[in-house]
Amino acid sequence: MINGWIILGTIVWLYLLSVVNRAHLQAIHFWLGSIGLFLIMAFSARAYFVWLLSAVVTQVTGWWGDLTGLYTSSYINGMISIKNAHGLVLLFVDYECSGIIETIAYLSLLWFYPMYERDQKIKLTFMGTGWIFLANVFRLALIASILYYAGSGAFFIVHSVLGRIIFYVLVIILYYNVFTRVQFDQAGSRFNYGGK
């Protein structure tokens, strides 16, 4: 059930957005909208969507393990089991590992980003969400595969350092293409370089 504070916060947020929109304060509208939507979705997702996303990420990551025989997965428990000569390593795909925070941040920024029309935002919603999902699956499959060969002693380096670097580099590529490149393209079309 949705918490009363979330409902109250959503009503206040929508009112503030309408005030800022009527005042034509585009930058404040973007930030207020993005931050508010992020908070609303983060509190709502914790109760409703985290288990679903964790289960799907675990299941899809498990396909690589089934194909290679390096590890197994249980989507019901959100767990990846890596059994090798070194012993057993268990990875639990929880709130932090599900990619929900990164997905919510991306959607919150996109839906209030003024450079795109509604149909473009819908297209980029599916493309960006899919990109983040696949980046997370790639990260988890790579971590599990390396741990199969290296054992649990490499867990910290592989999971907390290498895995995060790979995941965030892939997310930065998405952000660059969706948010930054469009700014450069628009700025380039506004200027006439060398009379051309």
Side-chain angles (χ1 to χ4, degrees), residues 120-133:
Q120 293 172 309
K121 288 181 182 182
I122 292 170
K123 177 181 157 190
L124 288 170
T125 292
F126 288 107
M127 290 174 53
T129 302
W131 179 271
I132 294 170
F133 177 81

Side-chain angles (χ1 to χ4, degrees), residues 102-128:
E102 293 80 7
T103 303
I104 289 171
Y106 169 75
L107 294 176
S108 298
L109 291 170
L110 175 65
W111 289 347
F112 284 93
Y113 197 60
M115 301 296 287
Y116 294 113
E117 299 296 324
R118 182 177 301 162
D119 57 338
Q120 293 172 309
K121 288 181 182 182
I122 292 170
K123 177 181 157 190
L124 288 170
T125 292
F126 288 107
M127 290 174 53

Side-chain angles (χ1 to χ4, degrees), residues 168-189:
Y168 286 118
V169 164
L170 291 171
V171 171
I172 288 169
I173 290 169
L174 171 69
Y175 273 57
Y176 173 78
N177 283 302
V178 172
F179 300 115
T180 306
R181 197 177 75 183
V182 71
Q183 293 278 352
F184 289 144
D185 291 346
Q186 186 184 28
S189 67

Side-chain angles (χ1 to χ4, degrees), residues 14 28 33 37 88 91 100 117 134 138 183 191-192:
L14 289 171
I28 295 173
L37 185 59
L88 177 67
L91 294 175
I100 193 94
E117 299 296 324
L134 291 175
F138 175 72
Q183 293 278 352
F191 297 106
N192 185 354

Side-chain angles (χ1 to χ4, degrees), residues 1-14 36 39-48:
M1 185 158 180
I2 295 181
N3 188 328
W5 289 107
I6 295 174
I7 294 171
L8 179 63
T10 302
I11 292 168
V12 170
W13 173 69
L14 289 171
L39 292 173
I40 291 166
M41 288 196 312
F43 285 117
S44 300
R46 197 164 183 78
Y48 299 102

